[in-house]
């Protein structure tokens, strides 16, 4: 039957302080390992104490499992300095936390006991290697003043690109130069991209401006063409109107010339005196005709062919002959001294009477009135000019 005793623990090496070179110090004090087996075993009698053979004394695998020598050894912890640093860090953190909580709770600061770092600093200093043995540094330092002077002189005389530079330094410089080249290349690429973007933006702006200018020029050209067409149409209309006016004038001249052959002035030698509409005390109203002053007995001719409808005394008009034209217009010849034709048709230029001073007159003259349709009198001068007579 299996025993209830615990399996024997593998022996562990005591945690001894070490210096940086790995040797044990003679003056180190030993402390029990808090993680060693049995370090926290209860003391005295109890349900699991040393004097009790309770549950901790029973091991069902004692007969089947045996500890192999050396296999369950606790690995030797190297570097007492690392362990001391860990303990120191934990202590500092605890102290800072305790001080913060004490300050927050308005309690007096908790006293902290710091380990003596003087001996630890001496151990570290003694464990550091000599400067001459470091790679890349020993060539710059000498063991004596003469060697230092000679090395300093050689270094000063050597070019800066190779003085004190080892293979590792050369590789670092090459990596730095490569990084610098990559940075410069990236900067050049970014600069080229920026210039390309600026060039594209400028080209786009120029294209847009060119399109706007072309549109403006097109509008201006369309407006100019429209204005030119309007001006050409205006000139053409003016020329056509001028041509038509000239044609009308020519036609009128021809008509008047033709009319002139059929219309004549009533007297050949005369002086124009009282005109149509003129006011005076000699007439009951404004003057109703045109006076042609001429010597008594001057022949009076028919202005146009027509029919004598009246001939005789007419009071203030004296002796008067009324010649009715084919269109119904009446021509009155007044103040005659004698009447040659008193009725019937007459031709243009035929003598129908003679100038006199009969009726309400101040001297010999022919008083001529024009009454279209036998109505009210009009100004004889425009009517005569309209028939091609120059007066």
């Amino acid at each position: 039957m299996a025993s209830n005793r615990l399996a024997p623990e593998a022996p562990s090496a005591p945690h001894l302080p070490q210096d940086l070179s790995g040797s044990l110090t003679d003056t180190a004090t030993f402390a029990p390992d808090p993680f060693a087996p049995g370090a926290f075993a209860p003391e005295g009698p109890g349900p699991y104490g040393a004097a009790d053979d309770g549950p901790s004394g029973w091991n069902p695998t004692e007969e089947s499992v045996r500890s192999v020598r050396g296999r369950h050894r606790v690995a030797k912890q190297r570097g007492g300095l690392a362990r001391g640093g860990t303990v120191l860090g934990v202590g500092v953190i605890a102290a800072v936390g305790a001080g913060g909580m004490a300050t927050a709770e308005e309690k007096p600061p908790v006293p902290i006991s710091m380990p003596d770092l003087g001996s630890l600093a001496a151990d570290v200093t003694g464990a550091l290697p000599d400067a001459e043995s470091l790679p890349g540094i020993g060539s710059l330092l000498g063991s004596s003043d003469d060697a230092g002077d000679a090395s300093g002189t050689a270094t000063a005389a050597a070019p800066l690109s190779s003085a004190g530079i080892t293979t590792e330094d050369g590789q670092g410089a090459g990596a730095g130069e490569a990084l610098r080249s990559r940075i410069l290349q990236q900067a050049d690429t970014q600069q080229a991209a920026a210039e390309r973007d600026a060039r594209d933006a400028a080209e786009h702006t120029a294209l847009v401006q060119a399109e706007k200018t072309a549109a403006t020029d097109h509008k201006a050209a369309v407006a100019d063409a429209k204005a030119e067409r309007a001006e050409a149409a205006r000139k053409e209309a003016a020329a056509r109107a001028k041509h038509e006016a000239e044609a009308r004038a020519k036609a009128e001249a021809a008509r008047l010339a033709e009319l002139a052959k059929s219309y004549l002035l009533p007297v050949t030698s005369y002086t124009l005196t009282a005109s149509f509409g003129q006011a005076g005390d000699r007439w009951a109203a404004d003057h109703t005709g045109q006076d042609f002053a001429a010597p008594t007995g001057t022949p009076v001719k028919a202005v146009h062919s027509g029919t004598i409808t009246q001939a005789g005394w007419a009071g203030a008009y004296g002796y008067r002959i009324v010649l009715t034209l084919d269109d119904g217009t009446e021509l009155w010849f007044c103040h005659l001294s004698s009447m040659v034709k008193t009725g019937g048709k007459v031709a243009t230029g035929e003598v129908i009477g003679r100038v006199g001073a009969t009726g309400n007159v101040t001297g010999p003259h022919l008083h001529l009135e024009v009454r279209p349709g036998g109505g009210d009198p009009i100004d004889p001068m425009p009517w005569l000019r309209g028939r091609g007579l120059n007066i």
Side-chain angles (χ1 to χ4, degrees), residues 140 152-166 169-170 173:
L140 300 177
T153 303
T155 303
L160 294 178
S161 60
S162 60
I165 299 178
T166 62
D169 296 336

Side-chain angles (χ1 to χ4, degrees), residues 173-199:
E177 184 63 24
L179 178 60
R180 177 177 176 275
S181 299
R182 288 188 61 187
I183 294 174
L184 292 178
Q185 183 179 3
Q186 185 177 5
D188 293 339
T189 303
Q190 294 177 354
Q191 180 67 22
E195 292 177 354
R196 184 173 60 255
D197 293 340
R199 184 170 59 255

Side-chain angles (χ1 to χ4, degrees), residues 211-291:
E211 292 178 353
K212 291 182 179 179
T213 303
T216 303
D217 294 342
H218 177 69
K219 291 182 179 179
V222 170
D224 293 341
K226 185 177 181 180
E228 290 178 358
R229 289 194 299 270
E231 182 66 18
R234 187 188 65 80
K235 290 182 178 180
E236 183 179 359
R240 185 170 57 253
K242 182 179 180 181
H243 178 70
E244 292 177 355
E246 291 176 353
R248 286 194 302 268
K250 186 176 180 180
E252 183 66 14
R255 187 186 69 84
L256 293 176
E258 188 64 26
L259 287 175
K261 296 177 181 179
S262 58
Y263 285 86
L264 292 175
L265 290 176
V267 291
T268 56
S269 179
Y270 59 89
T271 299
L272 297 176
T273 54
S275 60
F276 179 81
Q278 183 176 340
D281 55 359
R282 296 186 301 272
W283 311 293
D286 294 338
H287 197 234
T288 56
Q290 178 65 46
D291 290 347

Side-chain angles (χ1 to χ4, degrees), residues 54-240:
S56 62
W58 177 68
N59 186 4
T61 60
E62 181 179 7
E63 297 297 334
S64 60
V65 179
R66 297 286 185 178
S67 62
V68 181
R69 178 179 179 80
R71 180 173 296 181
H72 296 287
R73 290 182 181 179
V74 178
K76 182 179 181 181
Q77 295 184 1
R78 298 180 180 179
L81 177 60
R83 179 169 183 169
T86 303
V87 175
L88 176 61
V90 172
V92 170
I93 293 173
V96 172
M101 290 186 294
T103 303
E105 296 177 2
E106 298 182 357
K107 295 180 179 181
V110 179
I112 301 174
S113 61
M114 300 293 292
D116 186 10
L117 301 178
S119 60
L120 181 61
D123 295 339
V124 172
T125 303
L128 291 175
D130 294 336
E132 290 81 359
S133 63
L134 296 176
I137 303 301
S139 61
L140 300 177
L141 302 176
S143 60
S144 62
D145 295 340
D146 296 339
D149 295 340
S151 176
T153 303
T155 303
L160 294 178
S161 60
S162 60
I165 299 178
T166 62
T167 303
E168 293 80 1
D169 296 336
Q171 293 177 355
E177 184 63 24
L179 178 60
R180 177 177 176 275
S181 299
R182 288 188 61 187
I183 294 174
L184 292 178
Q185 183 179 3
Q186 185 177 5
D188 293 339
T189 303
Q190 294 177 354
Q191 180 67 22
E195 292 177 354
R196 184 173 60 255
D197 293 340
R199 184 170 59 255
D200 294 341
E203 291 178 356
H204 178 69
T205 303
L207 180 60
V208 172
Q209 185 64 30
E211 292 178 353
K212 291 182 179 179
T213 303
T216 303
D217 294 342
H218 177 69
K219 291 182 179 179
V222 170
D224 293 341
K226 185 177 181 180
E228 290 178 358
R229 289 194 299 270
E231 182 66 18
R234 187 188 65 80
K235 290 182 178 180
E236 183 179 359
R240 185 170 57 253

